[in-house]
Amino acid sequence: MRLALLSLAFLLPATARAAEPGPWATYRGTPQRTGNTDGAAGPEKPAILWSVKSTDHFLAAPVPVKDGVYVAGIGAFNRPSAFLYPFAGKAAPTATWVKSAPYLKLASVSSPAVAGELLVFGDGLHQDSGGVLHCVNATTSKPLWQLVMPGTLIHLEGAPTVAGERVFMGGGAAGAFCVELDKATLEGKEYGLADVVKMQEAKWKELVAKYEEAKAKKDDFAIPPDDSQLLKFVPKKAWQKGEGKWHVDAPVNVAGDLVFVPTSYLDKEKVGERALYALKAATGETAWKKELTYNPWGGATVAGDLVIVPGSSVGYYYKELRGAKGDVTALDLKTGAQKWRKEIPTGGVLGCVAVSDGLAVCTATDGKVRAFKVADGERSWLYDAKVPFFAPPAVVGGVAYAADLGGTVHAIDLKTGTAKWTFALAKETGAPGMVYGGVTVHGGKLIVATCNLDGPFANKETVLVCIGSK
């Protein structure tokens, strides 16, 4: 295997995208958190095009990467894995590549940011002390640089955002930080990304040559090289804010010159802060701050001149569903002034809000999907799935797609709030499972992955499914 040498033009996103992330360079594909970037709605009559059963648990939503789909899994004893499957797969497609130990040491629940030929994602879970921000080649999965962030309650669970040539990310107790996508250091010397690629390719060739030489000498201890032996480049850090004061597990969002950072308060550990910060993208300085009633686990959604934030009194714990409360709050993007707020006394809103066609659509742990008018917060419709939701909705082509904790996908008419169809993954695949990460809509197809770490299907096999038209 070799590390593809690519020209800098293909490695980096265009600088014109600095004001707004490109497709899938931010959580759920767009700052509006639609779960779609190409405008193509899903099928009118759903059918399984392909599926992959697994013993891994998929907490993060799948993400389209060129002609493939990326998904991260957690195996037994928190064994980490990341897979790229061909999007136009068949009944049970074979992964294009798989990353695991020894390169990955911690499991990931972070959806990656896609930037040209690059994938950027974090790792580490709540119980881990420390996490790593990874940048790898999307085609080969070969690592380019890593930012190691050690410390108690530091973990990179949320999705990063790539805007221009910078990466913005939250790191639990590490607060929020920004690194240069195209600049990295090695042994105190700074390199551009094109040089990083060349040096990593040369190192890989060297490792392979040594292995082949050892095999030729019939060395019984000859071991094939792996990615953990490549050079350890470290991205250049631009700024870091809120370290030891905030707890940022949710994905950050970027609009223009502002970065929106959701921070939560941990009741058990008695640390953190329950608020949304707007930071200046260039320096990390605070532009404004808004205290929140509930924890913003889903992160902030940009909707024109508004920022819309979900809130929940509980986290992603199945046993805590009873008695959960939540809200949806719309703030002025430039000042943080509250424009409207809707209390949801019967359920927490854990997933982000998806905005399309003047509506802010959210799911809740009370089993309902709600659509509020972006302009004034008035409710447009309510859809009752009768099964709790953790995952955020996707919205495209006049349809909202939501997947519940029973593993059923609901297609809801965006104008009326009525069901167009429902699709039960357990019935169709024989693998019951809960959906945490949300439906991804791409190329007129839906990609859904399940998780059975907890709840009624605990430790049963999971499934990654592509749903389209036969």
Side-chain angles (χ1 to χ4, degrees):
M1 188 181 294
R2 65 188 295 271
L3 178 63
L5 178 59
L6 300 163
S7 70
L8 190 60
F10 287 96
L11 278 167
L12 295 178
T15 54
R17 296 207 298 252
E20 182 170 309
W24 299 107
T26 190
Y27 182 59
R28 303 296 286 154
T30 67
Q32 293 72 42
R33 306 313 199 204
T34 54
N36 170 270
T37 62
D38 60 13
E44 286 292 330
K45 295 182 179 180
I48 292 180
L49 301 183
W50 56 260
S51 65
V52 178
K53 291 184 179 179
S54 177
T55 57
D56 284 349
H57 303 279
F58 305 111
L59 278 79
V63 171
V65 180
K66 301 173 69 175
D67 57 355
V69 56
Y70 172 101
V71 63
I74 300 175
F77 306 105
N78 284 349
R79 171 185 50 81
S81 295
F83 307 86
L84 186 73
Y85 286 97
F87 186 69
K90 297 184 178 180
T94 301
T96 305
W97 53 253
V98 180
K99 296 202 77 62
S100 190
Y103 173 70
L104 292 178
K105 295 177 174 58
L106 297 173
S108 173
V109 297
S110 169
S111 293
V114 183
E117 285 288 335
L118 306 178
L119 285 181
V120 182
F121 62 93
D123 68 20
L125 306 179
H126 188 78
Q127 65 269 24
D128 297 321
S129 293
V132 180
L133 182 66
H134 301 268
C135 178
V136 305
N137 183 291
T139 301
T140 66
S141 82
K142 288 297 182 189
L144 297 175
W145 53 250
Q146 302 173 37
L147 178 66
V148 179
M149 304 192 76
T152 303
L153 290 177
I154 291 178
H155 35 257
L156 282 65
E157 294 185 340
T161 290
V162 174
E165 296 176 2
R166 284 188 161 188
V167 181
F168 303 89
M169 182 73 173
F177 59 92
C178 171
V179 300
E180 301 288 347
L181 179 66
D182 62 334
K183 294 183 179 68
T185 61
L186 181 67
E187 298 177 349
K189 186 176 179 181
E190 185 176 305
Y191 297 89
L193 195 56
D195 289 328
V196 171
V197 173
K198 292 177 183 178
M199 293 172 69
Q200 291 288 40
E201 183 179 48
K203 180 64 177 178
W204 185 252
K205 289 180 178 178
E206 175 190 324
L207 292 169
V208 171
K210 287 182 179 180
Y211 170 63
E212 295 295 339
E213 182 181 350
K215 279 203 309 180
K217 294 179 179 179
K218 300 187 183 302
D219 184 348
D220 293 336
F221 297 98
I223 300 175
D226 64 73
D227 292 348
S228 67
Q229 297 170 277
L230 287 169
L231 301 171
K232 302 298 189 293
F233 285 92
V234 179
K236 183 178 179 181
K237 188 183 292 185
W239 51 259
Q240 183 174 358
K241 300 293 180 180
E243 186 175 7
K245 297 179 181 179
W246 306 342
H247 197 86
V248 186
D249 285 346
V252 300
N253 207 340
V254 176
D257 60 352
L258 294 178
V259 182
F260 300 100
V261 178
T263 167
S264 296
Y265 179 78
L266 305 183
D267 293 300
K268 182 179 178 181
E269 293 86 356
K270 306 298 181 186
V271 296
E273 187 176 350
R274 194 173 286 120
L276 180 71
Y277 279 83
L279 307 182
K280 296 179 181 179
T283 63
E285 295 177 7
T286 299
W288 54 259
K289 166 195 169 184
K290 176 65 176 179
E291 294 183 355
L292 301 171
T293 304
Y294 301 110
N295 279 334
W297 297 117
T301 298
V302 174
D305 58 359
L306 295 179
V307 180
I308 302 178
V309 190
S312 176
S313 64
V314 300
Y316 293 85
Y317 299 103
Y318 189 81
K319 295 178 182 179
E320 295 181 359
L321 288 174
R322 187 183 298 273
K325 298 179 181 180
D327 64 0
V328 177
T329 305
L331 308 172
D332 184 273
L333 185 145
K334 292 185 178 180
T335 67
Q338 182 173 305
K339 293 298 184 178
W340 52 262
R341 175 177 177 268
K342 294 298 174 179
E343 184 83 20
I344 300 177
T346 55
V349 185
L350 283 165
C352 61
V353 177
V355 171
S356 180
D357 298 332
L359 294 179
V361 184
C362 68
T363 59
T365 62
D366 62 1
K368 296 178 175 62
V369 183
R370 295 169 172 85
F372 300 100
K373 295 179 181 178
V374 171
D376 56 15
E378 289 302 308
R379 197 177 77 192
S380 180
W381 51 257
L382 181 147
Y383 173 90
D384 192 357
K386 303 186 187 308
V387 178
F389 289 97
F390 279 178
V395 181
V396 56
V399 184
Y401 302 93
D404 62 36
L405 292 185
T408 294
V409 180
H410 305 258
I412 307 165
D413 187 279
L414 194 59
K415 290 183 178 180
T416 64
T418 57
K420 293 175 70 67
W421 51 256
T422 60
F423 195 79
L425 297 180
K427 178 182 177 181
E428 300 292 336
T429 68
M434 302 191 295
V435 179
Y436 278 51
V439 177
T440 296
V441 188
H442 184 69
K445 304 171 185 177
L446 311 183
I447 306 291
V448 192
T450 63
C451 169
N452 287 324
L453 281 175
D454 195 5
F457 316 122
N459 300 318
K460 292 184 180 295
E461 68 180 351
T462 59
V463 67
L464 172 68
V465 180
C466 178
I467 301 170
S469 299
K470 286 290 189 181

